[in-house]
């Protein structure tokens, strides 16, 4: 469940690339939607009970619509395939308000954006913003094939000079999508953004390890680590004064929901931040990609959908 929701109407569905559709969502009763900034996402509460997060693709100056793009993942566990197979124009959907975990630093002199596949979505919104405020940017966009790359038409209308670098697996002729070189060629003041599949993000993080952390920005769509389901510890809920045992095979979130406790969550993979919970006492076993290394080391909060505990008890602000 997500905390603040609103109903929207599916106004338009568009074909953007092989297995990628865009969905234009407008307020059910007309009028304006809550504002958002480039890099934001919304959570869709699907009728099959799943909650999935999707980045907003459109221009943040637009208040009459949200546009998302959904990649029908071959390994979908019911999220993207449900959207592709079941959502139709005219449907009403429940969504969260936009949240931004991947904010654009508008003051940067130069921004380098690196996208893999559907990872183009938040970056496209960022490009629209950088264009609107007259900032300098460069895009590196990799996809399996040209036909599988979404929004190429729109990128074409933006292209000036050599700021957009496309790389398709099936068209390579000795030219590799070389992340260390891309990062190495960027000036020390450049802000670097990456969104794509886990191997790309891992390579990006390795290539940027020596850069200042506040100049390096990553958005994960999928979990990199397996969730903590080893169990064997208790969660004490400070506000309700209850103690819940987390058994083997369950995450903290599973244990709470099974005990009838209401908790906020969306992705259940440690990437969206919706389930972040303050830690009052104890040591979490962090398995998320949302908190920075420093935040994880501080142990002040935990993503209860995927993280466990290193201590026998974890006292949470719930
Ligand atoms: S629900 Fe998304 S990080 Fe936990």
């Amino acid at each position: 469940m997500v905390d603040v929701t609103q109903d929207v109407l599916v106004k338009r569905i568009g074909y953007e690339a092989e297995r990628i559709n865009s969905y234009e969502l407008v307020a059910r009763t007309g009028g304006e939607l809550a504002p958002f900034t480039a890099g934001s996402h919304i959570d869709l509460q699907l009728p099959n009970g799943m909650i999935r997060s999707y980045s907003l693709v459109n221009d943040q100056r637009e208040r009459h619509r949200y546009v998302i793009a959904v990649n029908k993942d071959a390994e979908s566990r019911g999220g993207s395939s449900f959207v592709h197979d079941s959502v139709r124009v005219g449907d009403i959907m429940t969504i969260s308000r936009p949240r931004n975990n991947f904010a654009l630093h508008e003051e940067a002199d130069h921004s380098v954006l690196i996208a893999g596949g559907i990872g183009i979505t938040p970056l496209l919104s960022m490009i629209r913003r950088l264009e609107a405020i007259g900032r300098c940017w460069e895009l590196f966009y990799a996809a399996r094939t040209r036909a599988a790359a979404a929004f190429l038409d729109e990128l074409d209308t933006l292209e000036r000079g050599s700021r957009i670098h496309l790389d398709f697996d099936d068209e390579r002729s000795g030219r590799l999508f070389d992340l260390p070189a891309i990062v190495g060629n960027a000036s020390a003041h450049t802000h670097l953004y990456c969104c794509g599949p886990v191997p790309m993000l891992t390579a990006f993080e390795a290539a940027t390890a020596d850069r200042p952390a506040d100049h390096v920005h990553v958005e994960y769509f999928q979990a990199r680590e397996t969730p903590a389901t080893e169990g064997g510890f208790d969660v004490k809920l400070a506000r309700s004064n209850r103690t819940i045992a987390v058994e083997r095979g369950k995450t903290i979130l599973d244990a709470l929901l099974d005990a009838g406790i209401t908790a906020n969550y969306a992705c259940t993979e440690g990437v969206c931040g919706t389930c972040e919970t303050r830690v009052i006492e104890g040591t979490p076993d962090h398995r998320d990609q949302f908190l920075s290394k420093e935040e994880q080391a501080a142990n002040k909060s935990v993503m209860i959908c995927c993280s466990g505990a290193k201590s026998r008890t974890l006292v949470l602000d719930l």
Side-chain angles (χ1 to χ4, degrees):
M1 109 168 6
V2 288
D3 45 2
V4 183
T5 60
Q6 59 184 322
D7 286 346
V8 290
L9 173 81
V10 181
K11 182 171 180 184
R12 208 167 275 123
I13 300 176
Y15 176 89
E16 302 298 344
E18 276 174 13
R19 307 179 73 86
I20 299 177
N21 287 346
S22 61
Y23 296 80
E24 181 180 332
L25 311 172
V26 298
R28 180 180 192 172
T29 50
E32 293 193 338
L33 294 160
F36 71 97
T37 50
S40 294
H41 70 270
I42 54 171
D43 300 323
L44 255 57
Q45 262 183 252
L46 301 176
N48 66 358
M50 300 187 99
I51 301 171
R52 284 291 174 267
S53 303
Y54 296 102
S55 296
L56 296 174
V57 182
N58 54 315
D59 189 319
Q60 68 177 60
R61 291 172 296 186
E62 294 181 344
R63 295 291 305 278
H64 66 290
R65 64 175 187 158
Y66 297 142
V67 181
I68 58 171
V70 180
N71 177 35
K72 188 174 180 182
D73 188 342
E75 290 169 22
S76 169
R77 291 171 295 139
S80 64
S81 58
F82 182 90
V83 175
H84 269 250
D85 298 342
S86 304
V87 173
R88 298 285 175 261
V89 169
D91 284 357
I92 302 296
M93 303 203 72
T94 302
I95 64 169
S96 69
R97 289 172 72 87
R99 287 158 48 100
N100 198 339
N101 306 327
F102 192 42
L104 180 66
H105 292 255
E106 298 187 349
E107 74 290 351
D109 290 337
H110 186 54
S111 299
V112 167
L113 313 163
I114 302 169
I118 192 67
I120 187 65
T121 49
L123 302 182
L124 184 55
S125 183
M126 289 180 175
I127 288 170
R128 296 186 206 283
R129 181 63 183 158
L130 292 166
E131 282 286 293
I133 60 176
R135 292 292 184 185
C136 182
W137 57 271
E138 201 168 2
L139 172 70
F140 295 83
Y141 180 14
R144 283 182 293 109
T145 65
R146 193 170 286 271
F151 304 111
L152 288 184
D153 293 353
E154 287 196 49
L155 291 171
D156 266 354
T157 66
L158 292 170
E159 183 159 14
R160 289 188 217 134
S162 59
R163 289 191 306 176
I164 298 179
H165 311 271
L166 301 174
D167 186 80
F168 303 115
D169 292 354
D170 66 340
E171 291 181 22
R172 273 192 193 132
S173 50
R175 180 176 58 91
L176 292 175
F177 196 70
D178 186 346
L179 274 170
I182 292 168
V183 171
N185 289 334
S187 74
H189 301 298
T190 300
H191 276 250
L192 297 139
Y193 301 80
C194 187
C195 186
V198 170
M200 173 186 270
L201 295 170
T202 304
F204 175 76
E205 288 182 323
T208 54
D210 294 337
R211 297 252 167 180
D214 59 352
H215 283 49
V216 176
H217 316 283
V218 178
E219 175 135 285
Y220 278 84
F221 281 158
Q222 299 162 292
R224 188 177 56 189
E225 297 190 49
T226 50
T229 54
E230 296 86 350
F233 62 96
D234 289 338
V235 170
K236 258 192 187 172
L237 309 182
R239 285 194 236 169
S240 54
N241 199 24
R242 289 184 64 182
T243 299
I244 309 294
V246 181
E247 294 162 4
R248 175 170 282 280
K250 288 186 182 179
T251 62
I252 297 173
L253 179 64
D254 293 335
L256 295 181
L257 295 177
D258 287 350
I261 291 157
T262 304
N264 288 327
Y265 64 92
C267 70
T268 68
E269 295 200 39
V271 295
C272 75
T274 305
C275 70
E276 182 170 3
T277 303
R278 194 164 76 84
V279 175
I280 295 171
E281 213 177 295
T283 310
D285 177 5
H286 297 285
R287 302 282 177 95
D288 65 282
Q289 274 78 61
F290 181 80
L291 297 173
S292 67
K293 287 192 182 73
E294 293 74 24
E295 288 169 329
Q296 289 188 347
N299 288 330
K300 289 196 172 139
S301 65
V302 61
M303 298 298 152
I304 57 172
C305 69
C306 62
S307 297
K310 289 180 178 163
S311 50
R312 181 69 189 80
T313 304
L314 211 50
V315 184
L316 299 179
D317 186 18
L318 280 174

